[in-house]
Amino acid sequence: MKAELLVSTETLAARLGDPDWIVFDTRHDLAWPDKGREAWQAAHVPGAYFMHLDQDLSGPKTGKNGRHPLPPIPDFAARMNRCGVAPGRQVVVYDDGGGSFAVRLWWMLRWLGHDRVALLDGGFAAWKRESRPLDAAVPAPREGRFEPRPAAGMTVDANGVAALLGDPAAKIVDARAATRFMGENETLDPVAGHIPGSHNRFWQHNLGYDGRFLTPEELRAEFLEELGGVSPGRVVHSCGSGVTACHNLFAMELAGLAGSRLYPGSWSEWCADPARPVATGPK
């Protein structure tokens, strides 16, 4: 396993209280937005700061930029600095949903130049199942030295995605469940379907039965088969709102297939413009 991407529960337990390790709890429920914060207030990994998907990891919505647009960079940087993020400090992120929300913070920190960030493999479920320490205390603010440096080439906007349609040397990978991808059982967005030509890989396929990630070798074999010869740098990840798309991007990184990009607006942005094409069905 790549230690820089995944941290085991054993490793984190041994580092509790280490001032050079910063832990973030990103638990969330799309249908119950306050559930994650309430769960964190009840019990969390000792010292873990809470980051709310809507309030901390997303920006203002316009009705055209998707359900979870990226937040203003200065605002995000200020939040990280209040929690002690600084060069050389290890950040660990977790949730209770297989990493489906934690990957958003992982990706954002990497995008903005902080490479020392990892997911807790197995997340809060594994931590609790193993009877590891829990706390309900609110951690005190810390002084950080996080200076965001947005990396070029890690994102693609709607126009960039449109330019890829029909290009056999590129692939758009959609992380939503198959039914939503096909245009069935759509409960979150006003239009059902997917970006024409995109390929569906449900993000949960990156996990084993125990909620931990598959091995890099397993992930590599699966992604190489699904990409069909398309190079990682020509892969764009999408989902409903640019969150679980990061899960497939993370899995590709774990598999040694670095360089794929994120479409942050994803389907919720794409379908907000009726002029953009929509596809339904399995392909």
Side-chain angles (χ1 to χ4, degrees):
M1 288 283 179
K2 293 185 178 180
E4 70 271 19
L5 295 178
L6 285 175
V7 163
S8 69
T9 52
E10 292 84 357
T11 297
L12 180 58
R15 292 285 189 164
L16 292 181
D18 187 330
D20 285 330
W21 281 55
I22 314 294
V23 183
F24 287 104
D25 185 317
T26 63
R27 282 177 283 178
H28 190 72
D29 189 319
L30 294 174
W32 183 0
D34 291 331
K35 184 177 181 180
R37 189 186 302 277
E38 292 172 1
W40 171 79
Q41 290 171 336
H44 52 258
V45 173
Y49 296 94
F50 182 73
M51 285 288 135
H52 194 287
L53 175 62
D54 297 330
Q55 299 165 12
D56 299 312
L57 305 181
S58 302
K61 294 183 285 188
T62 65
K64 296 291 185 180
N65 62 348
R67 286 185 281 108
H68 293 109
L70 294 175
I73 291 175
D75 294 349
F76 175 74
R79 295 181 187 112
M80 293 298 99
N81 277 311
R82 286 195 294 269
C83 299
V85 176
R89 288 179 178 167
Q90 177 67 53
V91 174
V92 179
V93 295
Y94 73 85
D95 58 33
D96 59 358
S100 57
F101 298 109
V103 287
R104 168 73 162 218
L105 180 51
W106 170 85
W107 181 88
M108 289 182 66
L109 283 168
R110 297 261 300 218
W111 169 52
L112 296 175
H114 189 88
D115 292 332
R116 293 197 63 182
V117 53
L119 259 64
L120 177 63
D121 201 13
F124 190 74
W127 185 269
K128 190 173 180 180
R129 186 169 61 246
E130 295 166 1
S131 300
R132 299 197 180 274
L134 295 172
D135 198 353
V138 176
R142 296 180 57 188
E143 183 177 352
R145 301 186 310 278
F146 175 65
E147 296 182 3
R149 302 182 305 278
M154 287 183 62
T155 64
V156 179
D157 62 14
N159 290 333
V161 171
L164 297 177
L165 300 187
D167 185 348
K171 183 154 287 190
I172 302 165
V173 179
D174 190 315
R176 292 176 296 167
T179 53
R180 289 189 62 213
F181 175 82
M182 292 188 291
E184 304 169 1
N185 193 34
E186 179 56 71
T187 59
L188 296 171
D189 294 309
V191 179
H194 58 263
I195 299 168
S198 56
H199 173 83
N200 184 218
R201 178 182 170 84
F202 187 30
W203 64 268
Q204 288 190 16
H205 293 167
N206 301 321
L207 305 173
Y209 70 92
D210 59 354
R212 290 183 166 88
F213 276 83
L214 301 178
T215 67
E217 294 76 19
E218 290 171 317
L219 290 169
R220 186 178 181 86
E222 292 186 9
F223 273 99
L224 286 176
E225 180 179 357
E226 294 182 8
L227 297 182
V230 173
S231 67
R234 297 283 287 162
V235 175
V236 173
H237 295 279
S238 178
C239 60
S241 62
V243 178
T244 57
C246 298
H247 206 280
N248 280 339
L249 193 154
F250 178 93
M252 283 187 63
E253 294 273 343
L254 189 61
L257 301 170
S260 59
R261 297 174 290 170
L262 176 69
Y263 172 29
S266 285
W267 177 248
S268 57
E269 178 184 73
W270 183 268
C271 73
D273 185 345
R276 296 188 185 117
V278 171
T280 56
K283 294 184 179 180

